[in-house]
């Protein structure tokens, strides 16, 4: 790292972890990460630990020493100590935050102030697993770095290009005006994929499906480089089956539970935390654990996850009117070759033909094409970098503000 290098730190604060990365600030752009890390184990009674790597080959993992005070505050102090030790020449210019929901107000990233934070708090019920923790992270970093602009970068922004019909529910007009509509999520990841695919494939501007598969999962249909439809909607519950979230569900099930005396909190816990891979398997929300299990329920969970993915890909292909390129990303999408193979075999009717050798070799370490030579649809595995998109937005805002 050069002396005097200006840098932007991108963070993603969850319920029990902080993911962070440091990116060089070059005018209105950023480069590859100088340092990436995760501080996990921040839940009550957890054991906080930090793991990080730098662009010059330093890889460390250590448990944080016990101490008084809030675990997130201690984690932030540990992160600042790491930056001081391994990125000392860098001059921090801004903090870029991944925030799941921007609502109707924010179609682009913004510098956060009290008014913005107040509005974003009203969206917490729409993404209870993420939004409250994202915003608590903003407040944490505001206190730690009061001199730096805090930039909010929203997963919903990428999908503001969807047709009005795609954004509508078949509900009364008054509810639509109040914001009850389809928003879509994983937008930072999809923006990163769109940019990388544009560099590698001449088909990136045609009919594209991008599948972000992880603990949260969705599929996005993209045409001419913009989102035209996506599987998630009003909240981060809709669409695909996920780690502990149910995905698409007949609302009649909710009416049935309510008549049985379930209240909103119990239903929310069921839908967000007790369903998906975890609920079906009764074992784990982690696909790796299920792959290693010989329990039939684990196999059922994997098969259902695959079926729901194939079904959603078919629906979104219909919205596109065909398919030219299919891309996988996210923890499962990048690393689970068996899932990619099973899904692509069921999409053979669309001309999707996977090369088994290339598929096995794709481990998420780099962007890689895995389609067979005679496939009419290109298939790519693209490791995502949401932090770089967030940092890039912060850089553009800083340039505009002439900071």
């Amino acid at each position: 790292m050069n002396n005097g290098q200006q840098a932007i730190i991108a963070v993603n604060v969850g319920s029990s972890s902080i993911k962070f990365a440091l990116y060089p600030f070059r005018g209105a752009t950023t480069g590859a990460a100088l340092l990436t890390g995760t501080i996990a184990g921040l839940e009550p009674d957890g054991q906080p630990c930090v793991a990080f790597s730098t662009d010059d080959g330093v890889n460390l993992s250590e448990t944080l020493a016990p101490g008084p005070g809030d675990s997130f505050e201690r984690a932030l102090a540990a992160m600042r100590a790491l930056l001081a030790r391994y990125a000392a020449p860098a001059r921090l210019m801004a903090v870029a935050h991944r925030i799941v929901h921007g609502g109707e107000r924010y179609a682009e990233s913004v510098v956060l102030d009290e008014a913005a934070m107040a509005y974003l708090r009203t969206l917490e019920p729409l993404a209870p697993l993420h939004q409250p923790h994202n915003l608590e992270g903003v407040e944490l970093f505001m206190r730690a770095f009061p001199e730096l602009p805090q930039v909010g970068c929203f997963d919903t922004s990428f999908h503001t290009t969807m047709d009005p019909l795609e954004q509508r529910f078949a509900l009364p007009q008054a509810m639509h005006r109040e914001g009850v509509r389809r928003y879509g999520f994983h937008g930072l990841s999809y923006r990163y994929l769109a940019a990388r695919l544009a560099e590698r494939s001449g088909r990136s501007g045609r009919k594209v499906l991008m599948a972000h598969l992880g603990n949260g999962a969705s599929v996005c249909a993209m045409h001419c480089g913009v989102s035209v439809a996506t599987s998630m909607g009003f909240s981060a519950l809709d669409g695909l089956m996920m780690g502990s979230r149910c995905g698409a569900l007949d609302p009649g099930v909710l009416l049935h539970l309510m008549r049985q005396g379930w209240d909103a909190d119990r239903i929310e816990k069921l839908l967000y935390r007790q369903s998906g891979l975890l609920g079906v398997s009764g074992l784990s929300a982690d696909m790796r654990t299920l792959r290693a299990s010989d329990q039939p329920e684990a196999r059922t969970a994997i098969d259902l996850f695959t079926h729901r993915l194939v079904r959603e890909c078919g629906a979104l292909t219909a919205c596109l009117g065909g398919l030219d390129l299919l891309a996988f990303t996210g923890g499962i999408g990048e690393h689970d070759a068996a899932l990619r193979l099973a899904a692509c075999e069921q999409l053979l009717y669309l001309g999707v033909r996977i090369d088994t050798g290339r598929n096995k070799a794709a481990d998420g370490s780099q962007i890689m094409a895995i389609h067979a030579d005679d496939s009419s649809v290109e298939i790519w595995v693209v490791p995502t970098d949401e932090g770089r998109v967030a940092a890039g937005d912060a850089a553009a805002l800083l340039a505009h503000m002439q900071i």
Side-chain angles (χ1 to χ4, degrees):
M1 189 181 300
N2 297 327
N3 289 334
Q5 169 74 69
Q6 295 180 329
I8 294 170
I9 186 167
V11 298
N12 183 0
V13 179
S15 61
S16 61
S17 67
I18 300 175
K19 296 179 181 179
F20 61 94
L22 192 70
Y23 297 87
F25 173 39
R26 300 166 179 164
T29 62
T30 60
L34 305 168
L35 181 151
T36 60
T38 300
I39 303 176
L42 300 179
E43 65 274 9
D45 301 321
Q47 182 61 65
C49 59
V50 58
F52 72 96
S53 60
T54 68
D55 63 339
D56 54 3
V58 176
N59 294 277
L60 289 177
S61 179
E62 59 185 41
T63 300
L64 301 186
D70 179 82
S71 59
F72 277 86
E73 296 282 358
R74 290 169 50 222
L76 185 54
M79 190 192 77
R80 295 193 69 167
L82 288 174
L83 295 176
R85 182 175 180 183
Y86 293 99
R91 177 189 171 201
L92 291 182
M93 302 298 293
V95 182
H97 298 265
R98 180 202 174 196
I99 299 176
V100 167
H101 216 306
E104 293 186 292
R105 184 173 299 180
Y106 296 121
E108 296 179 345
S109 298
V110 296
V111 176
L112 298 169
D113 55 20
E114 290 185 6
M117 291 292 288
Y119 171 72
L120 295 173
R121 284 287 186 194
T122 68
L123 305 175
E124 289 184 358
L126 308 188
L129 289 188
H130 304 89
Q131 192 86 349
H133 306 298
N134 295 160
L135 301 182
E136 287 167 9
V138 174
E139 293 173 350
L140 186 69
F141 278 82
M142 282 180 169
R143 293 194 297 270
F145 299 94
E147 75 284 4
L148 298 181
Q150 307 287 324
V151 177
C153 307
F154 308 102
D155 267 332
T156 49
S157 298
F158 184 68
H159 303 292
T160 57
T161 55
M162 294 191 305
D163 186 273
L165 287 178
E166 186 64 34
Q167 299 179 38
R168 286 296 300 264
F169 290 117
L171 292 171
Q173 177 68 24
M175 297 184 72
H176 181 73
R177 287 196 297 265
E178 291 170 359
V180 181
R181 64 176 183 82
R182 297 179 58 82
Y183 291 95
F185 299 90
H186 290 136
L188 298 184
S189 179
Y190 290 136
R191 282 178 58 193
Y192 184 81
L193 263 65
R196 298 291 78 77
L197 290 170
E199 296 170 351
R200 301 293 294 271
S201 173
R203 297 188 178 192
S204 63
R206 293 162 65 177
K207 299 171 181 178
V208 176
L209 284 185
M210 302 180 289
H212 180 110
L213 308 177
N215 193 50
S218 69
V219 184
C220 174
M222 181 175 70
H223 190 226
C224 297
V226 300
S227 174
V228 297
T230 188
S231 59
M232 281 184 171
F234 176 68
S235 72
L237 272 177
D238 201 9
L240 300 182
M241 174 180 172
M242 304 175 221
S244 63
R245 283 172 266 172
C246 61
L249 182 69
D250 182 343
V253 174
L254 307 183
L255 295 175
H256 169 72
L257 294 177
M258 291 169 65
R259 291 190 182 104
Q260 289 188 329
W262 288 50
D263 62 14
D265 289 341
R266 188 180 179 190
I267 291 175
E268 179 178 282
K269 184 177 181 181
L270 169 71
L271 301 183
Y272 278 98
R273 296 177 173 85
Q274 298 176 334
S275 299
L277 292 173
L278 174 62
V280 175
S281 71
L283 178 64
S284 176
D286 192 317
M287 183 68 82
R288 294 166 296 185
T289 301
L290 301 182
R291 290 283 183 200
S293 174
D294 59 2
Q295 295 184 19
E297 294 84 359
R299 183 71 254 173
T300 298
I302 294 172
D303 290 346
L304 184 56
F305 185 95
T306 307
H307 171 73
R308 294 285 287 270
L309 171 62
V310 170
R311 178 173 175 167
E312 198 67 41
C313 285
L316 292 181
T317 298
C319 291
L320 287 170
L323 184 61
D324 296 302
L325 189 153
L326 171 63
F328 293 93
T329 194
I332 297 173
E334 295 171 27
H335 301 290
D336 195 326
L339 182 282
R340 296 192 300 259
L341 177 62
C344 288
E345 285 180 340
Q346 294 181 56
L347 296 172
L348 182 63
Y349 73 97
L350 292 174
V352 176
R353 290 176 172 81
I354 194 169
D355 184 289
T356 56
R358 293 169 184 167
N359 183 47
K360 289 180 180 178
D363 59 2
S365 61
Q366 60 183 337
I367 184 171
M368 187 170 176
I370 61 171
H371 47 273
D373 293 340
D374 63 345
S375 178
S376 60
V377 175
E378 290 187 0
I379 314 169
W380 291 82
V381 177
V382 186
T384 193
D385 190 346
E386 294 159 314
R388 186 166 179 176
V389 175
D393 281 4
L397 283 170
L398 291 180
H400 180 72
M401 297 163 60
Q402 297 183 337
I403 292 179

